[in-house]
Amino acid sequence: MDVSSKYDLEEARHGGIGTVTPKEEVDEDLPITANRSAKWWYIAVHNITAMVGAGVLGLPYAMGLLGKTAGLWAIIPFQLIVMIGLDIVYMVTGGSSLHQAYKLFGGTQSFGLSAWIVVFAATELLSCQLPNFNALFLVSLLAAFMSISYSTIGWVSAVAEGKAAAVSYAILGGTTPKIMGIFNGLGTMVFAYGGHSVVLEIQATLPSKPGVPNSTFKPYMWGVALAYAAIAYCYFCVAFAGYWAFGNGVASNIMLSVERPHWLVAVANLLVVIHVFGSYQMYAMPVFDMAEDLCRRKNIKNKLFTRVFVRSLFVVFTAFIGITLPFFGDLLGFFGAFGFAPMTFWMPSVIWLVVMKPSKKSWDFWLNVLNIVVFVIIMFLAAIGSIYSIIQDAKTYKFYQ
């Protein structure tokens, strides 16, 4: 084995900085790094699929709540909260979109939301057996196309319908619900920008060049640039058009507010289902990677156990939580607070200060400190608001319908 090959895994996981670990001992059987033949356009597709998801559907709702004036030991728990939390939200999103499409096509109420979440979970039980990240490329490509499609249908339909009768942009409720709604809205906004949680896993699918430090950086940035152009289009169009059309009356999922034409809205909901089908696996794969690595470290080498049982158990767990707490808008705020606020907004600043050790007299130091303080405050406020909203919604919800 040549010396450069020893750096493969750590370069893939940490951008070229890390300890030397023999490649064949660590990455050939794990789903993230088993296949490192990705191209830059794979990166674009995976990032669009990861970033544009349930969060974009809740942006108009977050604006309605806010009104017009709107280390390492710590990272892994937060990352797991993000991954698992997203997949719970995707279970609810997939089930509710199937349910909405079913009703728009003339279905009865006898087949409720819980049943549709089970249907969606059944599809994920099959797809979770895909061996590695690059095996998801076609699923991810389809999902990325679906996300742009349903985002377009959502904002164009909202504009076409025009402003709702007696539309209002005032913040709803008395003092306490209003304040809690603002807090929850902050968490929902944070949730929408949380796709960064899988950037290292996506970068790890690129092939590295022996002897060339950070050789994956340039192709990765090409993919990121394309992805963010599509992400900006989806986010801003959906958020502003949805809020303009429906004001504070917008549903927690914009596709539940758009009503005409029925067939097009039904199709858009099915596009959402296809997209979150792929997005679910994007965030489940890193969890599978961690779980299978842990099994191997514990000397559990039975692939039937690690792949079939462990992965299936994860799908069943996220489905159960989604069925039990199917409060889409509240879950966005909750997981935005506990997972995305640390991973995306303030934890990177903490790590940068620890690693770079900038002078306390520099702007860099104080800007990062300000960023940490602001988003830690937002994290706690969003957590309070989302928990309050979950409790309020649970009072009137009929469970397991």
Side-chain angles (χ1 to χ4, degrees):
M1 175 175 54
D2 59 41
V3 174
S4 62
S5 69
K6 295 182 181 180
Y7 289 84
D8 276 355
L9 179 68
E10 291 302 324
E11 182 193 14
R13 292 186 184 274
H14 305 293
I17 301 173
T19 57
V20 180
T21 311
K23 177 182 175 182
E24 68 265 24
E25 291 181 9
V26 290
D27 66 353
E28 290 183 348
D29 292 326
L30 297 179
I32 298 298
T33 48
N35 184 334
R36 297 187 61 195
S37 59
K39 306 295 188 293
W40 71 267
W41 53 88
Y42 284 39
I43 303 306
V45 167
H46 287 324
N47 272 291
I48 293 172
T49 300
M51 285 288 288
V52 184
V56 69
L57 301 174
L59 283 174
Y61 174 68
M63 293 182 72
L65 293 173
L66 294 166
K68 282 188 176 180
T69 57
L72 191 60
W73 62 268
I75 294 176
I76 297 301
F78 285 130
Q79 189 174 23
L80 282 172
I81 290 172
V82 169
M83 307 298 181
I84 298 170
L86 259 171
D87 281 344
I88 291 170
V89 171
Y90 285 148
M91 277 292 177
V92 177
T93 309
S96 62
S97 295
L98 282 170
H99 189 210
Q100 182 70 0
Y102 174 71
K103 290 191 293 184
L104 288 168
F105 282 126
T108 65
Q109 292 293 336
S110 59
F111 208 68
L113 175 59
S114 296
W116 283 112
I117 294 177
V118 171
V119 170
F120 182 76
T123 67
E124 296 296 353
L125 276 172
L126 296 174
S127 62
C128 75
Q129 299 307 316
L130 289 171
N132 55 60
F133 229 129
N134 277 342
L136 293 174
F137 174 69
L138 291 179
V139 174
S140 190
L141 177 64
L142 183 62
F145 179 74
M146 295 299 106
S147 66
I148 296 172
S149 299
Y150 71 68
S151 295
T152 300
I153 292 173
W155 79 260
V156 170
S157 298
V159 171
E161 285 192 20
K163 285 189 176 183
V167 65
S168 171
Y169 302 104
I171 302 175
L172 292 173
T175 302
T176 300
K178 186 180 294 185
I179 293 173
M180 293 300 173
I182 291 172
F183 292 170
N184 192 29
L186 289 171
T188 301
M189 288 285 191
V190 169
F191 183 99
Y193 288 88
H196 311 83
S197 304
V198 288
V199 292
L200 292 179
E201 285 79 4
I202 293 173
Q203 187 177 2
T205 64
L206 288 165
S208 58
K209 296 179 181 179
V212 181
N214 298 321
S215 60
T216 61
F217 179 75
K218 187 174 180 179
Y220 185 78
M221 292 311 295
W222 275 105
V224 168
L226 178 59
Y228 269 80
I231 290 162
Y233 162 76
C234 295
Y235 276 35
F236 290 115
C237 290
V238 171
F240 294 140
Y243 184 57
W244 171 82
F246 305 109
N248 57 26
V250 68
S252 60
N253 180 338
I254 180 65
M255 300 312 301
L256 302 180
S257 289
V258 178
E259 296 179 348
R260 297 189 303 272
H262 288 314
W263 70 269
L264 186 60
V265 177
V267 168
N269 275 281
L270 293 178
L271 298 182
V272 172
V273 173
I274 295 170
H275 175 243
V276 296
F277 169 80
S279 295
Y280 182 97
Q281 293 303 323
M282 288 290 296
Y283 286 95
M285 198 62 76
V287 178
F288 299 157
D289 189 88
M290 292 181 195
E292 290 174 27
D293 185 48
L294 179 62
C295 287
R296 191 174 59 182
R297 291 175 187 275
K298 297 293 184 182
N299 230 15
I300 302 173
K301 297 181 180 180
N302 188 325
K303 286 192 175 182
L304 182 65
F305 175 82
T306 58
R307 179 161 293 177
V308 177
F309 178 75
V310 173
R311 294 187 183 194
S312 299
L313 184 64
F314 176 80
V315 174
V316 171
F317 169 76
T318 54
F320 174 74
I321 300 299
I323 292 169
T324 305
L325 298 170
F327 310 127
F328 179 79
D330 304 340
L331 289 176
L332 293 183
F334 181 83
F335 290 116
F338 285 107
F340 290 93
M343 283 296 295
T344 303
F345 293 98
W346 62 261
M347 185 67 74
S349 289
V350 171
I351 295 172
W352 189 85
L353 289 174
V354 171
V355 173
M356 302 304 294
K357 297 180 174 59
S359 169
K360 292 183 180 179
K361 297 179 180 179
S362 67
W363 280 102
D364 288 340
F365 177 84
W366 289 108
L367 285 174
N368 277 278
V369 169
L370 177 63
N371 182 72
I372 294 167
V373 171
V374 168
F375 281 102
V376 167
I377 292 172
I378 288 176
M379 180 182 72
F380 284 109
L381 295 181
I384 293 169
S386 61
I387 292 171
Y388 173 86
S389 298
I390 290 173
I391 293 171
Q392 296 303 309
D393 287 342
K395 289 179 179 179
T396 57
Y397 180 72
K398 294 181 179 179
F399 290 92
Y400 307 113
Q401 58 181 343

